[in-house]
Amino acid sequence: DNPDEAEGFEFLQTYDKRASQECYLSVLSNWAYATNLTEENKQNLLERSLVYAEFQKEAWKNATSFAWKQFKNPSTRRLFKFLSILGTAALPTEKLKELNEISASMEDTYSTSKICPYSLQVVITDESENLDDDKSSSEEENCTLSLEPDITRILKKSQNYDELAYVWKAWRDSSGKKIRKRYERFVELSNDAARLNGFADMGEMWRESYESDTFLEDLENLWKQLLPLYENLHAYVRRKLISKYGNDKIRPDGPIPAHLLGNMWAQDWAGVQEFTEPYPGKPSLDVTPQMVEQNMTALDMFNISEEFFSSLGLKEMPPPFWEHSVIEKPTDREIVCHASAWDFCNGKDYRIKQCTDITMQDLITVHHEMGHIEYYLQYADQPSLFREGANPGFHEAVGDVLALSVSTPKHLKAISLLNEIADDPEGDINYLYSIALDKISFLPFGYLMDLWRWGIFSGNTSVEEMNTKWWELRLKYQGVCPPVKRTEEDFDPGAKYHIPGNTPYIRYFVSFVIQFQFHKALCEAAGHEGPLYKCDIYQSKEAGKLLSQVLQLGSSKPWTEAMKIMTGGKTNKMDAAPIIEYFDPLIQWLKEQNKNYTLGWTSNDPTICP
Ligand SMILES: O=C(CCC(O)(O)[C@H](Cc1ccccc1)NC(=O)c1ccccc1)N[C@@H](Cc1ccccc1)C(=O)O
Ligand SMILES: [Zn+2]
């Protein structure tokens, strides 16, 4: 047949080998910087990134010299299709250098941001009377609170309205506000790169990963189906917060002040479980106290997670994982604490970097990160261009699916993290409520993050109104408001890792929908009977086999085919029915609780709580 195709196939073999070597060197320098934020490591990373870009440009030139669209073999065609998108390496060297420099420096600003303790804040205002400034400088030394674990713990534990408002504002002043100018330039350079790849803007280039020309309307349809769940949870939690903080702080038909929900971005509301749960007095579902009491270590948490994966017959972590991973925050250097899972492209070296705190929330995150590693291991034999998730949402869903089983009271009891279970309808409602505070509360945030970013990349949102637009979306979708006035001097999106980290976010919204499709499919494969929320796939080799079949594909097939395999042919789409089925008993209960109250929220100024 077509000689070009045989030559093209040869080219891909040599490319694959070189790509894995270049990728290893690039990931290693990225790892060195992320785990030790020094100027030297930043310079090494920037140099290595330019070398990697040259290699990609060379490969792209060769690949696009083939008439690959006429190739007969679908896999060969797909490999060339992926190679034909060069990415930011398409930028002229000077612009690429500037883009990488801005990117590394925004990541550094975010990851090393510190704030002063609230108590100190009170003292400083008292100090302002006398101009004894040497004292204030000594106070500066105590301004060492970082996001993980310090500020995260305060937001979970404190129930002091003013302390929470102080911490909420101080974090934004020290992270987002500081990178606004750099982000504006970053957007320009990103769009230059996107246009050089034939896309209208970087948002369009990001959406390419979903290989669907109905992606935006599919997302909007999912949100329309999920909004009633969110509105009912929001109305119930708002009522509970009003009784706690007073109706002078929160209007019964207004948005919820964003700093009261136990999380810096109000993206999960697990922090309010204790004082809002439907049936108080039942055994707590937050096993953090037991973990601390048992002197559990980060390593124990990783072993618990790995054991769940191997109980399904999935792959265990290889030796380099245990040797090179960084699973605790170092005390002698600055690192990027935001968790991540790394593939060093050589089929052997895989690592997690996580500033693990001994909490249930972090046990769930360990499963999330290990899910990424499992996916890496499952598709390790694919060509390098297919060593990706079927779509980015698939990659985010793997660990979360297993965590849905781990979180069940039955499983927590089985691993001695829960002493007794309230195995009755009220206990079930409490359980569903605790999962809803993680999963349902997240949905609008998971959606709006890239609605905002796509708006910036496309120019629909001008750089002069970035923060105003952010709070309009935060009001419209999440029904939250800022406790202190926000202006265009601020840059609140920049206070969330994925903005300075330039990590797309719609993948998490997709994941939170499809992980329940996966859970339902794996529970059926495991022979589970009864309500979906009671399913625990632990030790089911059948469930493990089905999951492995899907994960081994990597991105070698469009994600719609992977979805068809997972659901046994039922669907090839994202489907909200399983998440709605999972939470149904809770939704009925919440509707009953809310029947004499207002659902939804209004406010005439998104930039300050009414
Ligand atoms: O950001 C994360 C977890 C980090 C990660 O595992 O998704 C990480 C983010 C990251 C870090 C550096 C560079 C790129 C992305 N993603 C990965 O490690 C990753 C991404 C793609 C493939 C393989 C691994 N979760 C999100 C959303 C989320 C997910 C699940 C539960 C709660 C919240 C958040 O915290 O807002
Ligand atoms: Zn992830």
Side-chain angles (χ1 to χ4, degrees):
D1 55 0
N2 169 340
D4 205 23
E5 177 153 358
E7 211 185 304
F9 187 74
E10 276 313 303
F11 163 75
L12 286 174
Q13 305 299 336
T14 37
Y15 166 80
D16 197 71
K17 220 172 143 357
R18 278 291 314 282
S20 297
Q21 290 159 349
E22 288 297 326
C23 171
Y24 175 76
L25 294 170
S26 169
V27 172
L28 199 60
S29 63
N30 208 324
W31 174 266
Y33 180 57
T35 55
N36 190 1
L37 293 167
T38 63
E39 195 50 39
E40 181 194 359
N41 287 338
K42 184 199 280 193
Q43 290 315 320
N44 291 342
L45 169 62
L46 295 174
E47 279 152 35
R48 175 46 60 186
S49 303
L50 291 179
V51 169
Y52 192 48
E54 282 313 307
F55 163 73
Q56 289 176 305
K57 233 183 295 192
E58 189 59 31
W60 175 80
K61 266 195 215 107
N62 292 335
T64 45
S65 70
F66 289 91
W68 57 269
K69 286 181 181 154
Q70 279 75 36
F71 284 0
K72 292 187 181 41
N73 179 306
S75 275
T76 310
R77 249 194 341 265
R78 189 167 175 79
L79 288 166
F80 271 96
K81 176 186 152 193
F82 287 171
L83 254 180
S84 70
I85 297 178
L86 179 51
T88 55
L91 283 170
T93 307
E94 277 321 297
K95 281 195 169 182
L96 180 59
K97 268 174 86 167
E98 187 186 357
L99 180 76
N100 292 344
E101 160 57 43
I102 291 174
S103 190
S105 100
M106 287 196 296
E107 178 121 64
D108 181 71
T109 299
Y110 181 91
S111 299
T112 59
S113 287
K114 306 274 189 305
I115 70 170
C116 310
Y118 180 59
S119 52
L120 210 58
Q121 170 60 23
V122 172
V123 169
I124 288 178
T125 41
D126 294 347
E127 283 301 296
S128 59
E129 270 65 67
N130 66 43
L131 299 181
D132 167 11
D133 60 0
D134 65 324
K135 207 147 174 278
S136 60
S137 64
S138 71
E139 277 146 11
E140 282 308 308
E141 280 149 32
N142 299 353
C143 297
T144 60
L145 297 182
S146 41
L147 181 66
E148 296 186 42
D150 312 315
I151 300 172
T152 305
R153 288 177 181 166
I154 294 168
L155 278 162
K156 269 244 176 339
K157 215 176 20 254
S158 165
Q159 295 173 16
N160 172 324
Y161 188 95
D162 295 332
E163 174 179 28
L164 289 168
Y166 162 77
V167 169
W168 187 91
K169 175 184 177 354
W171 171 251
R172 280 158 181 76
D173 288 347
S174 105
S175 58
K177 189 169 191 169
K178 292 218 179 78
I179 64 168
R180 179 169 180 138
K181 280 280 152 279
R182 278 175 276 172
Y183 194 75
E184 291 177 14
R185 177 63 182 150
F186 183 82
V187 168
E188 284 171 13
L189 292 166
S190 297
N191 277 335
D192 289 351
R195 283 190 277 272
L196 286 170
N197 283 270
F199 296 99
D201 60 65
M202 186 49 86
E204 193 184 272
M205 190 161 126
W206 280 2
R207 293 190 297 271
E208 185 66 16
S209 321
Y210 295 89
E211 297 184 276
S212 158
D213 42 24
T214 61
F215 186 52
L216 290 176
E217 57 194 273
D218 295 345
L219 292 171
E220 191 55 30
N221 287 335
L222 289 171
W223 174 243
K224 283 196 171 52
Q225 295 173 66
L226 296 166
L227 179 56
L229 283 73
Y230 181 74
E231 273 182 341
N232 275 287
L233 181 66
H234 180 279
Y236 174 81
V237 171
R238 175 174 57 192
R239 204 159 50 254
K240 290 288 177 181
L241 290 175
I242 287 174
S243 57
K244 182 176 189 62
Y245 290 105
N247 58 14
D248 60 317
K249 296 277 194 318
I250 309 166
R251 291 214 336 248
D253 63 346
I256 298 175
H259 65 311
L260 301 179
L261 289 159
N263 174 279
M264 183 55 86
W265 309 279
Q267 72 181 66
D268 85 62
W269 300 353
V272 303
Q273 159 91 29
E274 292 304 305
F275 60 87
T276 63
E277 69 184 342
Y279 298 101
K282 299 267 179 185
S284 164
L285 292 156
D286 179 353
V287 297
T288 304
Q290 284 86 318
M291 293 170 69
V292 170
E293 192 191 304
Q294 294 175 22
N295 296 319
M296 192 173 278
T297 63
L299 190 57
D300 294 332
M301 291 160 72
F302 278 75
N303 283 319
I304 288 170
S305 181
E306 184 194 42
E307 200 277 328
F308 198 106
F309 282 90
S310 52
S311 84
L312 302 178
L314 294 171
K315 294 178 190 292
E316 296 186 336
M317 300 298 119
F321 173 84
W322 299 107
E323 200 180 324
H324 299 306
S325 289
V326 171
I327 62 173
E328 291 175 334
K329 181 175 187 175
T331 53
D332 59 347
R333 61 187 195 274
E334 292 281 11
I335 77 169
V336 175
C337 260
H338 196 83
S340 51
W342 300 56
D343 179 346
F344 284 75
C345 320
N346 62 4
K348 293 192 291 290
D349 198 344
Y350 301 89
R351 305 176 195 179
I352 285 174
K353 171 185 60 55
Q354 182 173 341
C355 297
T356 314
D357 202 3
I358 311 304
T359 65
M360 181 168 179
Q361 178 109 33
D362 272 24
L363 180 62
I364 301 300
T365 303
V366 167
H367 284 78
H368 177 92
E369 297 310 325
M370 205 166 270
H372 285 309
I373 304 287
E374 188 61 39
Y375 212 160
Y376 291 146
L377 296 171
Q378 289 289 329
Y379 59 51
D381 297 333
Q382 288 285 352
S384 59
L385 287 159
F386 287 160
R387 294 204 290 261
E388 298 280 335
N391 74 38
F394 273 61
H395 232 299
E396 298 307 330
V398 179
D400 287 12
V401 170
L402 274 67
L404 283 173
S405 289
V406 170
S407 305
T408 58
K410 185 176 82 175
H411 191 85
L412 291 173
K413 188 168 182 346
I415 57 174
S416 329
L417 279 178
L418 206 55
N419 311 324
E420 48 170 328
I421 306 177
D423 197 359
D424 53 49
E426 293 185 357
D428 289 355
I429 292 294
N430 273 0
Y431 171 66
L432 278 169
Y433 181 73
S434 72
I435 303 297
L437 289 180
D438 270 343
K439 302 292 181 182
I440 296 189
S441 63
F442 179 82
L443 295 169
F445 184 76
Y447 190 27
L448 73 86
M449 273 280 280
D450 280 351
L451 283 181
W452 177 81
R453 233 179 331 193
W454 295 335
I456 301 292
F457 283 134
S458 67
N460 287 340
T461 304
S462 73
V463 285
E464 289 74 33
E465 55 177 4
M466 286 199 294
N467 216 41
T468 308
K469 185 66 183 173
W470 169 256
W471 284 105
E472 281 169 11
L473 291 170
R474 289 267 271 175
L475 176 67
K476 175 179 180 189
Y477 287 97
Q478 254 187 305
V480 300
C481 56
V484 292
K485 175 75 178 166
R486 313 314 289 154
T487 72
E488 289 304 337
E489 293 304 303
D490 301 304
F491 181 54
D492 297 323
K496 173 66 190 172
Y497 172 79
H498 298 69
I499 301 295
N502 195 39
T503 303
Y505 210 83
I506 200 65
R507 57 180 62 177
Y508 301 109
F509 179 81
V510 168
S511 162
F512 275 52
V513 171
I514 64 176
Q515 68 185 243
F516 287 90
Q517 290 177 259
F518 294 0
H519 187 55
K520 182 176 170 68
L522 296 177
C523 289
E524 275 163 23
H528 171 75
E529 286 166 5
L532 185 55
Y533 67 88
K534 282 192 177 286
C535 165
D536 172 10
I537 61 170
Y538 187 53
Q539 293 172 333
S540 165
K541 297 295 183 286
E542 298 78 5
K545 188 163 164 294
L546 174 57
L547 183 55
S548 166
Q549 270 177 316
V550 171
L551 300 185
Q552 280 173 350
L553 294 171
S555 59
S556 61
K557 295 279 187 320
W559 68 266
T560 45
E561 289 191 38
M563 183 61 86
K564 235 167 25 192
I565 295 168
M566 179 64 91
T567 60
K570 232 177 253 148
T571 180
N572 69 350
K573 296 183 179 329
M574 299 181 283
D575 177 9
I579 186 172
I580 292 168
E581 174 193 338
Y582 180 99
F583 287 106
D584 186 57
L586 176 71
I587 303 310
Q588 301 320 318
W589 186 86
L590 287 171
K591 282 180 174 166
E592 175 58 27
Q593 294 295 313
N594 291 330
K595 68 175 191 281
N596 300 327
Y597 294 97
T598 314
L599 293 189
W601 50 87
T602 60
S603 168
N604 51 30
D605 179 359
T607 65
I608 177 75
C609 288

